[in-house]
Every structure is written in C-alpha cells, then in structure tokens.
Amino acid sequence: MSQGYFITGTDTEIGKTHSAVELIRQYREQGQTVLAMKPVASGCEILPDGSWWNDDVARLTAATGQTDLELMNPYRFLPPVSPHIAAREAGVEIELPRIVDHYRRLREQADIVLVEGAGGWLAPLSDSLFMSDMAQALALPVILVVGMRLGCINHALLTAKAVRDSGLELAGWVANCAQPPQAAYAENLATLKRHIPAPLLLEIPYRPAD
C-alpha cells in the first residue's frame, strides 16, 4: 500500500523543499521508491526553449528522477507572490479535484509520494481556499518543517495545533536550520520536542551557500 505525506512549514523560505529532498534521500536509502509533487509553484521563469523552470520543482525532480512535470506540478505561475494573487493575475482557478487526481496517479507509481505545499498551512489558494484545504482534500498525514529561528516555537506550536484541529494526522516534524544557528538552539529544540505531539524525523544543520 503506497503512502503519501503532505509537507507544510511554519512560514515561507524555511526549507520545505530542502527538507523534502532530505526525506526523499532517506526513504530511498531504505529501499522505497519515492515521487514528489509540488501542486502549486509561484516564482517561475520561462527558459529560452519555452519551458517553465522553478527552483523547488527542479530540486524535487532532481532528487526523484521524475520527468513528467505536468503531473507533479499542475499549477505554475511567473510572479513570486502568494498563489492566490498569482492565480488571479493569470486568470486561473486552482481546482482541488485536479490536484487530487494528479496525486492519485503518482501514488500508483511509487511506495511514497511527498506533496510539498507552498508557504505555510494557511497560505491562500483563492479567496475561499487555503493550503490546509488542499491537505484535507488529499487526506494525507502532515509533516511540519520548522525553520529554526527566533519565533519558531510560537509558529510551530500554532501550526501543529491547526493541523490537528483540521482532523489530519501530524506524522512528524523536521528541524531545519535554514540560517545560522539561533541563540539557545539546543534549548529551543528541546522545547519543541516536548510540545509538538509528533516525532522529530530529521534535524538538518545549517549549510552556508558556496
């Protein structure tokens, strides 16, 4: 029976994609076949050959070897803004049934499918839909990526509560140092481990850009 997980984060730019790539690597080392899905991607570029490029999508496909970008990324937009604004400017309505259909097709091809959201748990997809609605439509356990920086405890506990209040399982969380280690890092990590009602799946150290 294949398994899927929905990856959300405490904010944008806190390392959801990096964490997903690390999870993909971990699952593949365990002998699992893994595919990824990025249902909505903002901040794309059009390359000289006319193809669309997005950094998150590129990193996920590099990790999994996927080639069907339409299947793994059904909605893509040029401006690097919130999905609901990008979709409105493009005259596109983000439809959850389409996303669910793409996910089910991917699930037939792998042991595990990781679905990466955009922004945080309540990032809007339209005037009436939020990222949380996508996770509920997919009915997937949730993995929460916590960007380990000042304020992360509040953001993490609020998001963990919102996930559980939605009726979805909080399957685990990732502590990602997307910036140089915060003051009292160990103490903050210990506090999160005490209060997030799910296991710590990965602790990812800070890696300066080359």
Side-chain angles (χ1 to χ4, degrees), residues 153 157 173 184-196:
I153 294 175
L157 298 186
W173 63 287
Y185 170 82
E187 293 85 349
N188 281 285
L189 182 69
T191 299
L192 289 167
K193 289 171 73 173
R194 281 197 303 273
H195 294 289
I196 294 179

Side-chain angles (χ1 to χ4, degrees), residues 40-53:
V40 181
S42 299
C44 296
E45 300 176 33
I46 299 180
L47 301 179
D49 65 0
S51 63
W52 287 59
W53 184 90

Side-chain angles (χ1 to χ4, degrees), residues 46-206:
I46 299 180
L47 301 179
D49 65 0
S51 63
W52 287 59
W53 184 90
N54 173 266
D55 184 66
D56 291 350
V57 172
R59 293 174 66 191
L60 291 170
T61 54
T64 62
Q66 288 167 254
T67 57
D68 190 341
L69 299 186
E70 170 60 29
L71 186 60
M72 72 89 65
N73 176 220
Y75 293 101
R76 58 188 75 101
F77 305 104
L78 291 174
V81 297
S82 178
H84 75 297
I85 298 173
R88 184 188 304 139
E89 290 179 353
V92 172
E93 180 180 354
I94 296 174
E95 299 176 340
L96 296 184
R98 181 183 177 193
I99 292 171
V100 171
D101 174 67
H102 282 224
Y103 165 73
R104 288 175 176 166
R105 289 159 62 189
L106 287 170
R107 188 181 63 188
E108 294 172 353
Q109 304 173 32
D111 298 319
I112 296 175
V113 180
L114 297 181
V115 182
E116 183 192 331
W121 184 246
L122 290 180
L125 297 169
S126 70
D127 290 339
S128 58
L129 285 178
F130 295 85
M131 203 60 60
S132 57
D133 295 306
M134 181 193 298
Q136 288 178 295
L138 293 165
L140 294 177
V142 176
I143 294 175
L144 172 61
V145 178
V146 179
M148 298 298 292
R149 62 192 184 194
L150 186 64
C152 68
I153 294 175
N154 178 63
H155 294 160
L157 298 186
L158 283 173
T159 305
K161 183 179 186 304
V163 169
R164 297 181 76 205
D165 287 350
S166 75
L168 296 175
E169 174 192 355
L170 183 61
W173 63 287
V174 174
N176 182 52
C177 295
Q179 57 190 43
Q182 64 186 137
Y185 170 82
E187 293 85 349
N188 281 285
L189 182 69
T191 299
L192 289 167
K193 289 171 73 173
R194 281 197 303 273
H195 294 289
I196 294 179
L200 174 61
L201 303 177
L202 281 176
E203 184 180 355
I204 304 176
Y206 173 68

Side-chain angles (χ1 to χ4, degrees), residues 25 62 172:
R25 183 177 296 115

